[in-house]
């Protein structure tokens, strides 16, 4: 877990401060049984009240110092662990954001959420435990053995028998428990995945009355998680009682042997009391060490899952070029092929075409022909497997990714709005835009009229994903958001599919007036959406079957002609 070095270097001072105070607290705890034995053996046995009061005052002072040290340790450890967890969670989120889609596709969305939340919390809790329990428990345990040995070396041989046995039990606990907790975290991923899928498709579930099915599906995932959690806890739960049993046998042995020695005058009663207290402290320490090792096992499993994300190398390397060529707004595909999996057949095969500045180009084809995949290559959501894509005459792999994406505005196939107001969502395109600019692009996208009719207009609150807007309304807001970005290239990926034909025609006409020099790519299922384009590209099974104007393609491209006849024929029926 090399990624941990960053946090160790940053928080080691606070960590050592907490350790210093927990050491002081442990020393105070270790002194108390010895003081108690002296009170019994010298004060009570000799009926020396002054000695009892004096040593009682010392014991009270030691207890007070220990309490103050414990309070400071709690404050410092909580502060360090909370900052540690917050920073790790933030860094992990930034790392996820910096990864390409190819990297992110290796993880389930629910798994990334679990790693950001539950896994980071497991590691954070372990770090907190290190500063509170894990350091104190060995100190108290070792200190108790040393203090007990000073009191009576022969009697302390009992400890040297018990402690190694307990150490073996702790090791076995770690060895057997780790695989179980790895499975637990994976099953938690599945639970989160099921819940996430249900929430994203709740309307479909209710529409098809599949609530019972979803409950059963979630129950199955939840039961799997519970079953694995119970198995993990069964493994760890065996060891704590076993350790307690062994240590209690030791206490019984001390009382038995110590009683014989007291009867023969070889030991004092106070020594037996102190020895028993030290044995109890050892028991407490070993139990705490067992719990901490259980925490360690869980934290290790979570830490490795976090490390899987941190160690991901971004498959998409950003270029350095920031000065663009003279051919502004041009796009060139040169023998481009692409596959999501290199071992499988390419989704796009030998794609070549050119788009000039200010052109409106339509891309049409059947479902699964590769239309959305093709436009995902332009802003480098994915990199082509072979060939070149050029913007402004430059290979996009040579361009700085941030600058490249500033040149391209995309309205995705699935319109996504964020919680907040409508104006906030539109200003995603340009947060510094004036209200006049927001209103202008809203009019072009045919969104202004319906927004004005809402109770609070542009300030109306919308739920996450735009749940309180219709599909067509969300698409129009998404188009307005893209237009406000004022990029040189606008990509509309079937972004008017939920809009009626009349509104779609008005949007296209408004776009022509607003963006004369704008390079526009229209992806559509409806042939009427692309008929008026300067150029139409026909895709079928990842290959270009024709390029040209509507009239030319009707004569020369059989695929386009079939689409035209099927759709126009349906409309005339």
């Amino acid at each position: 877990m090399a990624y941990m070095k960053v946090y160790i270097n940053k928080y080691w001072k606070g960590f050592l401060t907490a350790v210093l105070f927990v050491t002081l607290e442990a020393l105070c705890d270790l002194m108390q049984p010895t003081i108690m034995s002296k009170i019994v053996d010298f004060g009570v046995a000799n009926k020396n009240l002054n000695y009892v009061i004096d040593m009682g005052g010392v014991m009270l002072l030691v207890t007070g110092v220990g309490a103050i040290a414990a309070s400071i340790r709690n404050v410092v450890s909580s502060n360090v662990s909370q900052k540690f967890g917050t920073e790790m969670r933030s860094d992990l989120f930034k790392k996820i954001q910096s990864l390409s889609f190819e990297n992110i596709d290796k993880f389930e969305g629910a798994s990334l959420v679990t790693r950001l939340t539950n896994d980071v919390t497991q590691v954070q809790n372990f770090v907190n435990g290190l500063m509170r329990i894990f350091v104190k428990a060995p100190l108290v345990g070792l200190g108790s053995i040393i203090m007990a040995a000073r009191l009576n070396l022969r009697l302390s041989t009992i400890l040297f028998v018990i402690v190694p046995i307990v150490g073996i039990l702790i090791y076995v606990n770690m060895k057997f428990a780790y695989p179980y907790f790895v499975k637990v975290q994976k099953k938690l991923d599945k639970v989160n995945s099921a819940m996430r899928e249900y929430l994203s498709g709740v309307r479909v579930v209710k529409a098809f009355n599949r609530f019972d099915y979803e409950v059963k599906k979630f129950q199955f995932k939840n039961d799997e998680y519970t079953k694995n959690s119970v198995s993990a806890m069964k493994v760890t739960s065996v060891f704590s009682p076993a350790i307690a049993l062994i240590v209690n046998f030791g206490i019984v042995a001390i009382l038995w042997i110590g009683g014989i020695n007291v009867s023969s005058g070889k030991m004092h009663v106070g020594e037996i009391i102190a020895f028993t207290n030290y044995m109890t402290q050892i028991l407490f320490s070993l139990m705490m060490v067992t719990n901490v090792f259980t925490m360690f096992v869980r934290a290790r499993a979570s830490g490795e899952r976090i490390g899987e994300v941190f160690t991901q190398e971004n498959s998409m390397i950003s270029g350095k070029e920031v000065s663009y060529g003279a051919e502004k707004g041009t796009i060139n595909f040169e023998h481009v092929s692409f596959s999501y999996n290199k071992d499988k057949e390419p989704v796009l095969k030998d794609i070549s075409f050119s788009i000039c500045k200010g052109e409106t180009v339509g891309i049409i084809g059947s479902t699964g022909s590769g239309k959305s995949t093709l436009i995902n290559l332009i802003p480098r959501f994915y990199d082509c497997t072979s060939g070149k894509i050029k913007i402004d005459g430059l290979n996009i792999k040579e361009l700085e990714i941030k600058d490249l994406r500033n040149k391209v505005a995309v309205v995705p196939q699935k319109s996504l709005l964020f919680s907040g107001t409508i104006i906030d969502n539109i200003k995603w395109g340009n947060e510094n835009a004036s209200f006049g600019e927001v209103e202008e692009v809203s009019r072009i996208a045919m969104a202004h009229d319906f927004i004005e009719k809402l109770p609070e207009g542009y300030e109306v609150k919308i739920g996450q994903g735009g749940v309180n807007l219709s599909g067509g309304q969300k698409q129009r807001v998404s188009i307005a958001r893209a237009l406000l970005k004022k990029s040189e290239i606008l990509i509309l990926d079937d972004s008017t599919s939920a809009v009626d034909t009349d509104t779609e025609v008005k949007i296209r006409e408004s776009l022509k007036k607003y963006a004369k020099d704008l390079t526009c790519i229209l992806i559509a299922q409806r042939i009427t959406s692309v008929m008026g384009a300067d150029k139409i590209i026909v895709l079928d099974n990842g290959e270009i079957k024709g390029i040209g104007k509507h009239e030319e393609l009707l004569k020369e491209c059989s695929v386009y002609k079939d689409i035209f006849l099927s759709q126009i024929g349906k409309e005339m029926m």
Side-chain angles (χ1 to χ4, degrees):
M1 299 184 200
Y3 69 91
M4 290 292 289
K5 289 180 181 178
V6 177
Y7 307 103
I8 292 170
N9 292 336
K10 188 166 185 178
Y11 293 106
W12 69 270
K13 291 181 181 177
F15 183 89
L16 290 181
T17 302
V19 169
L20 176 65
F21 282 102
V22 82
T23 303
L24 179 59
E25 179 191 359
L27 291 174
C28 291
D29 289 346
L30 290 170
M31 290 171 65
Q32 290 180 38
T34 299
I35 296 171
M36 177 63 74
S37 71
K38 291 183 180 297
I39 291 173
V40 173
D41 290 339
F42 299 105
V44 176
N46 297 324
K47 299 180 180 180
N48 189 342
L49 183 60
N50 291 330
Y51 186 85
V52 172
I53 293 172
D54 290 341
M55 293 305 292
V58 172
M59 192 172 184
L60 186 62
L61 178 63
V62 169
T63 304
V65 171
I68 293 170
S71 299
I72 296 173
R73 176 259 292 166
N74 282 337
V75 172
V76 174
S77 62
S78 298
N79 188 45
V80 171
S81 62
Q82 288 297 327
K83 287 184 177 179
F84 168 88
T86 300
E87 187 166 340
M88 177 179 281
R89 197 174 290 110
S90 178
D91 289 345
L92 188 59
F93 183 74
K94 290 175 185 175
K95 179 67 178 182
I96 293 169
Q97 282 208 320
S98 70
L99 295 175
S100 67
F101 286 169
E102 184 181 342
N103 293 113
I104 292 174
D105 289 345
K106 295 177 182 178
F107 305 94
E108 286 186 19
S111 176
L112 290 174
V113 171
T114 306
R115 291 167 205 246
L116 266 169
T117 51
N118 185 271
D119 285 326
V120 173
T121 300
Q122 294 291 350
V123 177
Q124 177 183 316
N125 289 341
F126 177 68
V127 171
N128 190 28
L130 276 178
M131 293 178 284
R132 300 181 66 179
I133 303 168
F134 191 58
V135 173
K136 182 182 177 181
L139 284 173
V140 171
L142 291 172
S144 295
I145 293 171
I146 293 168
M147 296 295 283
R150 286 183 62 199
L151 283 173
N152 191 308
L153 186 60
R154 290 182 64 187
L155 195 58
S156 63
T157 54
I158 296 170
L159 303 178
F160 296 117
V161 173
I162 289 172
V163 171
I165 296 172
V166 173
I168 292 169
L169 285 174
I170 291 172
Y171 172 76
V172 173
N173 183 14
M174 286 182 59
K175 187 174 179 63
F176 281 93
Y178 174 69
Y180 283 91
F181 283 111
V182 172
K183 290 180 182 178
V184 167
Q185 294 304 108
K186 288 181 179 178
K187 294 300 179 183
L188 182 59
D189 283 348
K190 299 295 183 184
V191 172
N192 287 338
S193 180
M195 192 63 198
R196 185 169 176 262
E197 186 177 33
Y198 168 73
L199 291 174
S200 62
V202 63
R203 284 172 171 73
V204 178
V205 173
K206 291 183 181 296
F208 283 85
N209 202 23
R210 297 281 283 174
F211 181 74
D212 291 339
Y213 170 79
E214 287 296 319
V215 168
K216 288 178 183 177
K217 186 171 76 171
F218 181 81
Q219 189 64 47
F220 174 76
K221 303 287 185 186
N222 199 28
D223 288 345
E224 285 284 296
Y225 172 64
T226 303
K227 191 187 301 180
N228 279 266
S229 296
V230 169
S231 298
M233 295 313 295
K234 278 181 180 178
V235 171
T236 57
S237 64
V238 171
F239 293 95
S240 292
I243 291 168
L245 181 65
I246 291 167
V247 175
N248 281 318
F249 273 132
I251 292 173
V252 171
I254 288 168
L255 292 173
W256 179 49
I257 296 170
I260 294 171
N261 287 332
V262 168
S263 297
S264 62
K266 294 179 181 178
M267 285 186 70
H268 297 292
V269 174
E271 289 178 344
I272 299 296
I273 294 172
F275 229 98
T276 306
N277 283 338
Y278 282 128
M279 200 66 184
T280 304
Q281 287 188 345
I282 291 169
L283 172 61
F284 170 78
S285 300
L286 292 172
M287 297 296 288
M288 288 301 100
V289 168
T290 305
N291 291 335
V292 169
F293 272 116
T294 301
M295 289 171 61
F296 169 73
V297 168
R298 301 192 71 165
R300 180 186 167 193
S302 293
E304 289 184 357
R305 284 161 50 83
I306 294 168
E308 287 174 5
V309 181
F310 273 125
T311 54
Q312 281 287 316
E313 292 294 332
N314 198 332
S315 60
M316 190 170 290
I317 301 170
S318 178
K320 302 296 181 184
E321 185 68 52
V322 290
S323 56
Y324 291 88
E327 309 169 44
K328 288 192 177 291
T330 61
I331 303 172
N332 295 287
F333 274 62
E334 300 177 359
H335 304 288
V336 171
S337 295
F338 174 76
S339 175
Y340 288 103
N341 189 328
K342 294 178 181 179
D343 297 328
K344 294 185 178 179
E345 185 182 357
V347 179
L348 298 174
K349 307 159 193 172
D350 196 30
I351 303 293
S352 295
F353 63 85
S354 297
I355 302 175
C356 300
K357 177 184 178 180
E359 268 192 325
T360 297
V361 176
I363 300 178
I364 196 167
S366 59
T367 302
S369 59
K371 303 185 297 296
S372 294
T373 300
L374 188 148
I375 60 100
N376 281 338
L377 300 179
I378 296 173
R380 287 192 75 187
F381 293 154
Y382 294 93
D383 273 336
C384 56
T385 309
S386 62
K388 290 181 182 179
I389 301 172
K390 292 182 178 180
I391 288 181
D392 297 356
L394 298 173
N395 189 333
I396 60 173
K397 291 184 179 180
E398 298 173 1
L399 305 175
E400 207 280 321
I401 289 178
K402 187 175 181 181
D403 289 338
L404 168 64
R405 290 176 183 168
N406 280 336
K407 292 176 70 67
V408 182
V410 182
V411 182
Q413 192 171 23
K414 183 180 178 181
S415 298
L416 176 64
L417 302 181
F418 299 90
S419 54
T421 63
I422 286 183
I423 193 169
D424 288 339
N425 272 274
I426 296 175
K427 279 191 172 185
W428 262 68
N430 180 2
E431 61 183 358
N432 298 317
S434 65
F435 180 77
E437 290 174 309
V438 171
E439 189 174 333
E440 181 186 12
V441 295
S442 299
R443 289 183 185 277
I444 295 164
M446 296 296 136
H448 176 74
D449 289 344
F450 87 78
I451 293 173
E452 283 289 284
K453 292 176 183 177
L454 296 172
E456 298 173 65
Y458 284 88
E459 297 296 333
V460 72
K461 294 278 185 181
I462 57 176
Q464 186 176 3
V467 293
N468 49 342
L469 296 180
S470 69
Q473 288 172 335
K474 286 192 285 186
Q475 285 188 333
R476 283 177 275 174
V477 171
S478 297
I479 293 170
R481 177 174 62 194
L483 291 173
L484 193 63
K485 192 177 178 183
K486 296 183 179 178
S487 300
E488 296 171 15
I489 299 167
L490 175 65
I491 299 173
L492 303 175
D493 184 3
D494 204 15
S495 55
T496 55
S497 57
V499 175
D500 63 88
T501 307
D502 290 340
T503 304
E504 184 185 11
V505 171
K506 290 176 183 177
I507 292 172
R508 288 204 307 269
E509 289 174 352
S510 299
L511 277 172
K512 284 183 180 179
K513 295 175 184 176
Y514 173 76
K516 293 179 182 178
D517 296 326
L518 186 69
T519 302
C520 188
I521 300 175
L522 303 173
I523 294 177
Q525 297 285 350
R526 293 192 299 225
I527 200 166
T528 52
S529 300
V530 298
M531 284 170 54
D534 300 318
K535 186 189 297 179
I536 302 171
I537 299 172
V538 183
L539 279 181
D540 185 50
N541 195 28
E543 298 179 315
I544 292 180
K545 296 298 182 180
I547 299 177
K549 290 183 177 291
H550 170 69
E551 294 78 9
E552 297 170 353
L553 292 171
L554 275 178
K555 296 176 183 178
E556 301 170 4
C557 181
S558 59
V559 175
Y560 185 80
K561 186 177 180 180
D562 289 343
I563 295 171
F564 176 80
L565 290 175
S566 63
Q567 291 190 11
I568 299 300
K570 286 180 181 178
E571 289 179 8
M572 293 176 65
M573 288 174 65

